[in-house]
Amino acid sequence: MSKKYRIGILGATGTVGQRFIQLLENHPQFEITALAASDRSAGKPYAEACAWKLPGAMPESVKQIIVEPIAPPLDCEIVFSSLPSSVARETEEAFARAGCAVISNSSSYRMDEDVPLLIPEINADHLGLIEVQQQKRGFGKGFIVTNPNCAVVSFAPPLAALHRRFGLESVVVTTLQAISGAGYPGVPSLDITDNVIPYIAGEEPKVETEAQKILGVLTNGAIEKADFNVSAQCFRVHVIDGHTASVRVNLKQKPTLEEVIETIQSFPSLSLHSSPPRFIDFCDEPSRPQPRLDRDAGNGMTITVGRLFPDNVFDYRFVTLSHNTVRGAAGSAILNAELLIDKKIL
Ligand code: NAP
């Protein structure tokens, strides 16, 4: 049997931490050997520290693991971090310095110029930054890679398809983001029930900048960001899981509708363990995508695109959707780790 990598999860009791534990159960390449969270949880068996909120039972294999504080050393070689950004920066650096591969969901390092911001199907070559990072920061064998903001993941894939073939000029995006994106307990029920909230703290700047780094080109150890502007408005809506984005684009070339659909539909998937059969699923049913119906496509790893039409003001418009705690967080981080193994960086 091939080697299983030892995994530590930081923020293991939270919304994303629980999703990691669910997705890693019976994973052929990884075994959970350490769990860490705040002082509230440290010292307790996981079953006691964590109020499990996902469907199905908490996996037996983690119940008796004693939750530790978020400081190295932990018994692991890969760290999946789902910490609030307030503590992530210092903690993730400490683990990288201690020799761990740190794979982070938090926003702390995403835009640092020597840190890969990965969607494996789009920019696996950005892993070339790891060597630059290790040298610059004196990390030794440890390093940090990140996955994008959960709303950005929902629309960056169709943008990547269009940008590669036709060149993006400008993008306007309106996101409709699920409640679970705010963690647990998250948004108070009296604020979100029967309501739409036109503000998510700190979200619009992330949605306006991350795609340009993801679609950037790595040359001479640095990423030249893609040259288009994004204008974003972000809303919290009364949906439990699944972020929707309404997108309008102007393109440098002027393709036909058929060419646009074909380009989005044919964007290739990978063949890693957690890769979905289809990375982007194009749906021409007029009322889709919908969070309840489409968020679990490809085990939550597929991006669903629909409502694609020529627009009266922009060139094209479409609606896109992804599962925020799977493709938008834990599932993406696990895919990043599988990519690191595939590329022999781990
Ligand atoms: P959450 O449900 O609030 O969970 C936070 C976790 O971090 C818990 O395990 C908590 O431990 C721990 N924690 C909180 N404060 C801490 C501290 N001062 N020291 C040590 N541990 C601390 O949040 P979440 O939704 O899982 O989000 C975690 C991170 O992932 C955030 O950076 C978020 O932006 C990012 N993210 C979230 C999503 C999503 O859809 N939710 C998607 C993408 C990225 P205790 O239980 O012990 O308090």
Side-chain angles (χ1 to χ4, degrees):
M1 204 172 79
S2 60
K3 166 189 159 109
K4 280 204 174 191
Y5 290 82
R6 287 172 300 120
I7 300 293
I9 302 172
L10 309 179
T13 48
T15 302
V16 177
Q18 293 183 30
R19 188 63 81 178
F20 271 121
I21 288 170
Q22 184 192 57
L23 295 175
L24 289 169
E25 194 183 12
N26 303 321
H27 193 289
Q29 294 163 295
F30 305 124
E31 65 176 321
I32 297 172
T33 47
L35 300 172
S38 78
D39 293 345
R40 186 190 68 77
S41 307
K44 298 178 186 164
Y46 186 72
E48 197 185 309
C50 174
W52 186 255
K53 296 290 172 189
L54 291 175
M58 177 188 287
E60 286 298 324
S61 55
V62 294
K63 283 186 174 171
Q64 299 311 321
I65 296 180
I66 302 296
V67 178
E68 296 183 68
I70 54 161
L74 291 178
D75 174 23
C76 60
E77 52 212 317
I78 300 175
V79 166
F80 289 126
S81 170
S82 52
L83 290 171
S85 51
S86 52
V87 288
R89 196 165 175 95
E90 199 183 321
T91 307
E92 290 172 3
E93 174 172 346
F95 277 96
R97 260 183 218 295
C100 294
V102 178
I103 302 179
S104 175
N105 281 289
S106 151
S107 59
S108 305
Y109 284 96
R110 283 186 199 139
M111 296 306 286
D112 282 30
E113 57 184 19
D114 58 342
V115 176
L117 177 57
L118 290 175
I119 298 181
E121 293 88 343
I122 298 176
N123 62 351
D125 63 309
H126 289 194
L127 288 175
L129 284 178
I130 289 175
E131 239 178 273
V132 177
Q133 182 194 122
Q134 286 170 323
Q135 277 172 18
K136 181 174 152 192
R137 300 187 194 235
F139 274 170
K141 71 179 173 71
F143 58 86
I144 300 170
V145 302
T146 60
N147 42 276
N149 169 280
C150 44
V152 173
V153 178
S154 71
F155 68 86
L159 289 193
L162 296 176
H163 185 61
R164 293 230 171 117
R165 184 142 173 220
F166 309 117
L168 281 167
E169 215 163 66
S170 52
V171 178
V172 172
V173 57
T174 304
T175 66
L176 309 166
Q177 300 186 211
I179 306 167
S180 64
Y184 187 83
V187 190
S189 57
L190 283 178
D191 288 346
I192 196 65
T193 305
D194 187 28
N195 213 1
V196 166
I197 301 173
Y199 175 65
I200 301 174
E203 199 76 350
E204 286 166 1
K206 294 175 197 161
V207 173
E208 290 183 337
T209 53
E210 290 186 14
Q212 295 93 320
K213 179 173 176 185
I214 296 162
L215 302 189
V217 176
L218 178 68
T219 4
N220 300 326
I223 290 176
E224 194 184 322
K225 289 183 191 152
D227 181 23
F228 57 84
N229 285 327
V230 179
S231 163
Q233 288 184 306
C234 299
F235 294 78
R236 187 73 71 197
V237 297
H238 198 189
V239 162
I240 293 180
D241 288 321
H243 289 353
T244 304
S246 161
V247 185
R248 287 167 168 78
V249 294
N250 273 333
L251 299 166
K252 290 186 177 140
Q253 294 174 38
K254 301 298 168 197
T256 63
L257 178 61
E258 290 68 33
E259 287 172 325
V260 169
I261 292 173
E262 193 274 321
T263 300
I264 288 177
Q265 215 166 15
S266 62
F267 200 88
S269 191
L270 297 175
S271 50
L272 301 169
H273 176 75
S274 303
S275 305
R278 299 184 74 89
F279 174 39
I280 308 178
D281 199 11
F282 177 75
C283 180
D284 57 10
E285 144 74 51
S287 65
R288 308 273 283 267
Q290 295 179 23
R292 202 145 43 86
L293 302 182
D294 296 305
R295 62 192 168 206
D296 293 324
N299 289 326
M301 292 295 281
T302 289
I303 314 291
T304 306
V305 177
R307 308 284 311 143
L308 174 50
F309 299 111
D311 187 72
N312 290 333
V313 177
F314 290 81
D315 290 335
Y316 287 97
R317 64 172 183 256
F318 53 88
V319 176
T320 176
L321 177 134
S322 70
H323 196 304
N324 55 294
T325 66
V326 184
R327 177 54 91 159
S332 271
I334 293 168
L335 194 66
N336 285 345
E338 294 167 3
L339 178 74
L340 287 161
I341 295 169
D342 188 63
K343 299 286 180 199
K344 304 199 174 0
I345 295 169
L346 283 176

Coordinates of all heavy atoms in Angstrom, one line a residue, residues 103-166:
I103 N -1.5 24.3 3.7 CA -2.5 24.5 2.6 C -3.7 25.3 3.3 O -4.4 24.7 4.1 CB -2.9 23.2 2.0 CG1 -1.7 22.5 1.5 CG2 -3.9 23.4 0.9 CD1 -1.9 21.1 0.9
S104 N -3.8 26.5 2.9 CA -4.7 27.4 3.7 C -5.9 27.9 2.9 O -5.9 28.2 1.7 CB -3.9 28.7 4.1 OG -4.8 29.6 4.7
N105 N -7.0 28.0 3.7 CA -8.3 28.5 3.2 C -8.4 30.0 3.6 O -9.4 30.6 3.1 CB -9.5 27.8 3.9 CG -9.7 26.5 3.3 OD1 -10.3 26.4 2.3 ND2 -9.4 25.5 4.1
S106 N -7.6 30.4 4.4 CA -7.8 31.8 5.0 C -7.2 32.8 4.0 O -6.4 32.5 3.1 CB -7.0 31.8 6.3 OG -6.6 33.1 6.5
S107 N -7.6 34.0 4.1 CA -7.2 35.1 3.1 C -5.8 35.7 3.4 O -5.3 36.4 2.6 CB -8.3 36.2 3.2 OG -8.3 36.8 4.5
S108 N -5.2 35.3 4.6 CA -4.0 36.0 5.0 C -2.9 36.1 4.0 O -2.3 37.1 3.9 CB -3.5 35.3 6.3 OG -4.5 35.2 7.2
Y109 N -2.6 35.0 3.3 CA -1.4 35.0 2.4 C -1.8 35.0 0.9 O -0.9 35.0 0.0 CB -0.6 33.7 2.6 CG 0.3 33.9 3.9 CD1 -0.2 33.3 5.1 CD2 1.5 34.5 3.9 CE1 0.6 33.5 6.2 CE2 2.2 34.7 5.0 CZ 1.8 34.1 6.2 OH 2.5 34.3 7.3
R110 N -3.2 35.0 0.6 CA -3.6 34.7 -0.8 C -2.9 35.7 -1.8 O -2.5 35.3 -2.9 CB -5.1 34.9 -0.9 CG -5.9 33.7 -0.4 CD -7.3 33.9 -0.8 NE -8.2 33.1 0.1 CZ -9.3 33.4 0.6 NH1 -9.8 34.7 0.4 NH2 -10.0 32.6 1.4
M111 N -2.8 37.0 -1.4 CA -2.3 37.9 -2.4 C -0.8 38.2 -2.2 O -0.3 39.1 -2.9 CB -3.1 39.2 -2.3 CG -4.6 39.0 -2.7 SD -4.9 38.3 -4.3 CE -4.5 39.6 -5.4
D112 N -0.1 37.5 -1.3 CA 1.3 37.7 -1.2 C 2.0 37.2 -2.5 O 1.6 36.2 -3.0 CB 1.9 36.9 0.0 CG 1.7 37.6 1.3 OD1 0.6 38.3 1.4 OD2 2.5 37.4 2.2
E113 N 3.0 38.0 -3.0 CA 3.4 37.7 -4.4 C 4.2 36.4 -4.5 O 4.3 35.9 -5.6 CB 4.3 38.9 -4.9 CG 5.5 39.2 -4.0 CD 6.2 40.4 -4.5 OE1 5.6 41.2 -5.3 OE2 7.4 40.6 -4.2
D114 N 4.7 35.9 -3.4 CA 5.4 34.6 -3.5 C 4.6 33.4 -3.1 O 5.1 32.3 -2.8 CB 6.7 34.7 -2.7 CG 6.4 35.0 -1.2 OD1 5.3 35.5 -0.9 OD2 7.3 34.7 -0.4
V115 N 3.3 33.6 -2.9 CA 2.4 32.5 -2.5 C 1.4 32.1 -3.6 O 0.6 32.9 -4.1 CB 1.6 32.9 -1.2 CG1 0.6 31.8 -0.8 CG2 2.6 33.3 -0.1
P116 N 1.4 30.8 -4.0 CA 0.5 30.4 -5.0 C -1.0 30.5 -4.5 O -1.3 30.1 -3.4 CB 0.8 28.9 -5.2 CG 2.2 28.7 -4.7 CD 2.3 29.7 -3.6
L117 N -1.9 31.0 -5.4 CA -3.3 31.1 -5.1 C -3.9 30.1 -6.2 O -4.0 30.5 -7.3 CB -3.8 32.5 -5.3 CG -5.3 32.8 -5.1 CD1 -5.8 32.3 -3.8 CD2 -5.6 34.2 -5.3
L118 N -4.2 28.9 -5.7 CA -4.4 27.8 -6.7 C -5.9 27.4 -7.0 O -6.7 27.3 -6.0 CB -3.7 26.6 -6.1 CG -2.2 26.5 -6.1 CD1 -1.7 25.3 -5.4 CD2 -1.6 26.6 -7.5
I119 N -6.1 27.2 -8.2 CA -7.2 26.3 -8.6 C -6.5 25.3 -9.6 O -6.1 25.6 -10.7 CB -8.3 27.1 -9.4 CG1 -9.0 28.1 -8.4 CG2 -9.4 26.1 -9.9 CD1 -10.1 28.9 -9.1
P120 N -6.3 24.0 -9.1 CA -5.4 23.1 -9.8 C -5.7 23.0 -11.3 O -4.8 22.9 -12.1 CB -5.6 21.8 -9.1 CG -5.9 22.2 -7.7 CD -6.8 23.5 -7.8
E121 N -7.0 23.0 -11.7 CA -7.3 22.9 -13.1 C -6.9 24.1 -13.9 O -6.8 24.0 -15.1 CB -8.8 22.7 -13.3 CG -9.4 21.4 -12.7 CD -9.8 21.5 -11.3 OE1 -9.4 22.5 -10.6 OE2 -10.6 20.6 -10.8
I122 N -6.6 25.2 -13.2 CA -6.4 26.5 -14.0 C -4.9 26.9 -13.9 O -4.3 27.2 -14.9 CB -7.2 27.6 -13.4 CG1 -8.7 27.3 -13.6 CG2 -6.8 29.0 -14.0 CD1 -9.6 28.4 -12.9
N123 N -4.3 26.8 -12.7 CA -2.9 27.4 -12.6 C -1.9 26.6 -11.8 O -1.2 27.1 -11.0 CB -3.0 28.8 -12.0 CG -3.6 28.8 -10.6 OD1 -4.1 27.8 -10.2 ND2 -3.5 30.0 -10.0
A124 N -2.0 25.3 -12.1 CA -1.0 24.4 -11.4 C 0.4 24.8 -11.5 O 1.2 24.6 -10.6 CB -1.2 22.9 -11.9
D125 N 0.7 25.5 -12.6 CA 2.1 25.9 -12.8 C 2.6 27.0 -11.8 O 3.8 27.2 -11.6 CB 2.3 26.4 -14.3 CG 1.5 27.7 -14.5 OD1 0.3 27.6 -14.3 OD2 2.0 28.7 -15.0
H126 N 1.6 27.6 -11.1 CA 2.0 28.6 -10.1 C 2.7 28.0 -8.9 O 3.2 28.7 -8.1 CB 0.7 29.4 -9.6 CG 0.2 30.4 -10.7 ND1 -0.7 31.4 -10.4 CD2 0.5 30.5 -12.0 CE1 -1.0 32.0 -11.5 NE2 -0.3 31.5 -12.5
L127 N 2.6 26.7 -8.8 CA 3.4 26.0 -7.8 C 4.9 26.3 -7.9 O 5.7 26.1 -6.9 CB 3.2 24.4 -7.9 CG 1.8 23.9 -7.5 CD1 1.8 22.4 -7.8 CD2 1.6 24.2 -6.0
G128 N 5.3 26.8 -9.1 CA 6.7 27.2 -9.2 C 7.1 28.3 -8.2 O 8.3 28.6 -8.0
L129 N 6.1 29.0 -7.6 CA 6.4 30.0 -6.6 C 7.0 29.5 -5.3 O 7.6 30.2 -4.5 CB 5.2 30.9 -6.3 CG 4.7 31.9 -7.3 CD1 3.4 32.5 -6.8 CD2 5.7 33.0 -7.6
I130 N 6.7 28.2 -5.1 CA 7.1 27.6 -3.8 C 8.6 27.8 -3.5 O 9.0 28.1 -2.4 CB 6.7 26.1 -3.7 CG1 5.1 26.1 -3.6 CG2 7.3 25.4 -2.5 CD1 4.6 24.6 -3.6
E131 N 9.4 27.5 -4.6 CA 10.8 27.6 -4.4 C 11.3 29.0 -4.1 O 12.1 29.3 -3.2 CB 11.5 27.2 -5.7 CG 12.5 26.0 -5.5 CD 13.1 25.6 -6.8 OE1 12.4 24.8 -7.5 OE2 14.1 26.1 -7.2
V132 N 10.6 30.0 -4.8 CA 10.9 31.4 -4.6 C 10.6 31.7 -3.1 O 11.3 32.4 -2.4 CB 10.0 32.3 -5.5 CG1 10.2 33.7 -5.3 CG2 10.2 31.9 -6.9
Q133 N 9.4 31.3 -2.6 CA 8.9 31.5 -1.3 C 9.9 31.0 -0.2 O 10.2 31.6 0.7 CB 7.5 30.9 -1.2 CG 6.9 31.1 0.2 CD 5.7 30.2 0.3 OE1 5.6 29.4 1.2 NE2 4.7 30.3 -0.6
Q134 N 10.3 29.7 -0.5 CA 11.2 29.1 0.5 C 12.5 29.8 0.7 O 13.0 30.0 1.8 CB 11.4 27.6 0.1 CG 10.2 26.7 0.4 CD 10.3 25.3 -0.3 OE1 10.9 25.2 -1.3 NE2 9.8 24.3 0.4
Q135 N 13.0 30.3 -0.5 CA 14.3 31.0 -0.4 C 14.1 32.4 0.2 O 14.8 32.7 1.1 CB 14.8 31.2 -1.8 CG 15.6 30.0 -2.3 CD 16.0 30.0 -3.7 OE1 16.0 31.1 -4.3 NE2 16.3 28.9 -4.3
K136 N 13.0 33.1 -0.2 CA 12.8 34.5 0.3 C 12.5 34.5 1.8 O 13.0 35.3 2.5 CB 11.6 35.0 -0.4 CG 11.3 36.5 -0.1 CD 10.2 37.0 -1.0 CE 9.4 38.1 -0.2 NZ 8.2 38.4 -0.9
R137 N 11.8 33.5 2.3 CA 11.3 33.5 3.7 C 12.2 32.6 4.6 O 11.9 32.5 5.8 CB 9.9 33.1 3.8 CG 8.9 34.0 3.0 CD 7.5 33.8 3.3 NE 6.7 34.5 2.3 CZ 5.7 35.3 2.5 NH1 5.3 35.6 3.8 NH2 5.0 35.9 1.6
G138 N 13.1 31.9 4.0 CA 14.0 31.0 4.7 C 13.2 29.9 5.4 O 13.4 29.5 6.6
F139 N 12.2 29.3 4.7 CA 11.3 28.3 5.3 C 11.9 26.9 5.3 O 11.3 26.0 5.9 CB 10.1 28.2 4.4 CG 9.0 29.2 4.8 CD1 7.9 29.3 4.0 CD2 9.1 30.0 5.9 CE1 6.9 30.2 4.3 CE2 8.1 30.9 6.3 CZ 7.0 31.0 5.5
G140 N 13.1 26.6 4.7 CA 13.5 25.2 4.6 C 12.6 24.4 3.7 O 12.2 24.9 2.7
K141 N 12.1 23.2 4.2 CA 11.2 22.4 3.4 C 9.8 22.8 3.5 O 8.9 22.3 2.7 CB 11.5 20.9 3.6 CG 11.0 20.4 4.9 CD 11.3 18.9 4.9 CE 11.0 18.2 6.2 NZ 9.6 18.0 6.6
G142 N 9.4 23.6 4.4 CA 8.0 24.0 4.6 C 7.6 25.1 3.6 O 8.5 25.7 3.0
F143 N 6.3 25.3 3.4 CA 5.8 26.3 2.5 C 4.3 26.5 2.7 O 3.7 25.8 3.4 CB 6.1 25.9 1.0 CG 5.5 24.6 0.6 CD1 4.2 24.5 0.1 CD2 6.2 23.4 0.6 CE1 3.6 23.3 -0.2 CE2 5.7 22.2 0.3 CZ 4.4 22.2 -0.2
I144 N 3.8 27.6 2.1 CA 2.3 27.9 2.2 C 1.8 28.0 0.8 O 2.3 28.7 -0.1 CB 2.1 29.3 2.9 CG1 2.7 29.2 4.3 CG2 0.6 29.6 2.9 CD1 2.7 30.6 5.0
V145 N 0.7 27.3 0.5 CA -0.1 27.5 -0.7 C -1.6 27.8 -0.2 O -2.0 27.4 0.9 CB -0.1 26.3 -1.7 CG1 1.3 26.0 -2.1 CG2 -0.8 25.1 -1.1
T146 N -2.3 28.5 -1.1 CA -3.6 28.9 -0.6 C -4.7 28.6 -1.7 O -4.4 28.4 -2.9 CB -3.7 30.5 -0.5 OG1 -3.4 31.1 -1.7 CG2 -2.7 30.9 0.6
N147 N -5.9 28.5 -1.2 CA -7.0 28.4 -2.2 C -7.9 29.7 -2.2 O -7.8 30.4 -1.1 CB -7.8 27.1 -2.2 CG -8.2 26.7 -0.8 OD1 -7.4 26.0 -0.1 ND2 -9.3 27.1 -0.3
P148 N -8.6 30.0 -3.2 CA -9.2 31.3 -3.3 C -10.4 31.4 -2.4 O -11.0 30.5 -1.9 CB -9.7 31.4 -4.8 CG -9.0 30.3 -5.5 CD -8.7 29.2 -4.5
N149 N -10.8 32.7 -2.2 CA -12.1 33.0 -1.6 C -13.2 32.2 -2.2 O -13.3 31.9 -3.4 CB -12.4 34.5 -1.9 CG -13.7 35.0 -1.5 OD1 -14.7 34.8 -2.2 ND2 -13.9 35.6 -0.3
C150 N -14.2 31.7 -1.4 CA -15.2 30.8 -1.8 C -16.1 31.4 -2.9 O -16.7 30.6 -3.7 CB -16.0 30.3 -0.6 SG -16.5 31.6 0.6
A151 N -16.3 32.7 -2.9 CA -17.1 33.3 -4.0 C -16.3 33.3 -5.3 O -16.9 33.1 -6.4 CB -17.6 34.7 -3.6
V152 N -15.1 33.6 -5.2 CA -14.2 33.7 -6.4 C -14.2 32.4 -7.1 O -14.2 32.3 -8.3 CB -12.8 34.2 -6.0 CG1 -11.8 34.1 -7.2 CG2 -12.9 35.6 -5.4
V153 N -14.1 31.3 -6.3 CA -14.1 29.9 -6.9 C -15.3 29.7 -7.8 O -15.2 28.9 -8.8 CB -14.0 28.8 -5.9 CG1 -14.0 27.4 -6.5 CG2 -12.8 29.0 -5.0
S154 N -16.4 30.3 -7.5 CA -17.6 30.0 -8.3 C -17.5 30.6 -9.7 O -18.2 30.1 -10.6 CB -18.9 30.5 -7.5 OG -18.9 31.9 -7.5
F155 N -16.8 31.7 -9.9 CA -16.8 32.4 -11.2 C -15.5 32.4 -11.9 O -15.4 32.6 -13.1 CB -17.4 33.8 -11.1 CG -16.6 34.8 -10.4 CD1 -15.6 35.5 -11.1 CD2 -16.8 35.1 -9.1 CE1 -14.8 36.4 -10.4 CE2 -16.1 36.0 -8.4 CZ -15.1 36.7 -9.1
A156 N -14.4 32.1 -11.2 CA -13.1 32.1 -11.8 C -12.9 31.1 -12.9 O -12.3 31.3 -13.9 CB -11.9 32.0 -10.8
P157 N -13.5 29.8 -12.7 CA -13.3 28.8 -13.8 C -13.9 29.3 -15.2 O -13.2 29.2 -16.2 CB -14.0 27.6 -13.2 CG -13.8 27.8 -11.7 CD -14.0 29.2 -11.5
P158 N -15.2 29.7 -15.2 CA -15.6 30.2 -16.6 C -14.8 31.4 -17.1 O -14.6 31.5 -18.3 CB -17.1 30.5 -16.4 CG -17.4 30.5 -14.9 CD -16.3 29.7 -14.3
L159 N -14.4 32.2 -16.1 CA -13.5 33.4 -16.6 C -12.2 32.8 -17.2 O -11.7 33.4 -18.2 CB -13.2 34.3 -15.4 CG -14.3 35.2 -14.8 CD1 -13.7 36.3 -13.9 CD2 -15.2 35.8 -15.9
A160 N -11.7 31.8 -16.6 CA -10.4 31.2 -17.1 C -10.6 30.7 -18.5 O -9.8 31.0 -19.4 CB -9.9 30.1 -16.2
A161 N -11.7 30.0 -18.7 CA -12.0 29.5 -20.0 C -12.0 30.6 -21.0 O -11.4 30.5 -22.1 CB -13.2 28.6 -20.0
L162 N -12.8 31.6 -20.7 CA -13.0 32.7 -21.7 C -11.7 33.6 -21.9 O -11.4 33.9 -23.0 CB -14.1 33.7 -21.2 CG -15.5 33.0 -21.1 CD1 -16.5 33.9 -20.5 CD2 -16.0 32.5 -22.5
H163 N -11.0 33.8 -20.8 CA -9.8 34.6 -20.9 C -8.7 34.0 -21.7 O -8.1 34.6 -22.6 CB -9.3 34.9 -19.4 CG -8.1 35.8 -19.4 ND1 -8.2 37.1 -19.9 CD2 -6.8 35.7 -19.0 CE1 -7.0 37.7 -19.7 NE2 -6.2 36.9 -19.2
R164 N -8.6 32.7 -21.6 CA -7.5 31.9 -22.4 C -7.8 32.0 -23.8 O -6.9 32.2 -24.6 CB -7.5 30.5 -22.0 CG -7.0 30.3 -20.5 CD -6.0 29.3 -20.4 NE -5.4 29.4 -19.0 CZ -5.5 28.4 -18.2 NH1 -6.0 27.2 -18.5 NH2 -5.0 28.6 -17.0
R165 N -9.1 32.0 -24.2 CA -9.4 31.9 -25.6 C -9.7 33.3 -26.3 O -9.3 33.5 -27.4 CB -10.5 30.9 -25.8 CG -10.9 30.7 -27.3 CD -11.3 29.3 -27.6 NE -11.8 29.2 -28.9 CZ -12.8 28.4 -29.3 NH1 -13.4 27.7 -28.4 NH2 -13.2 28.4 -30.6
F166 N -10.4 34.1 -25.5 CA -10.9 35.4 -26.1 C -10.3 36.6 -25.5 O -10.5 37.7 -26.0 CB -12.4 35.4 -26.1 CG -13.1 34.2 -26.6 CD1 -13.8 33.4 -25.8 CD2 -12.9 33.8 -27.9 CE1 -14.4 32.2 -26.2 CE2 -13.5 32.6 -28.4 CZ -14.3 31.8 -27.5

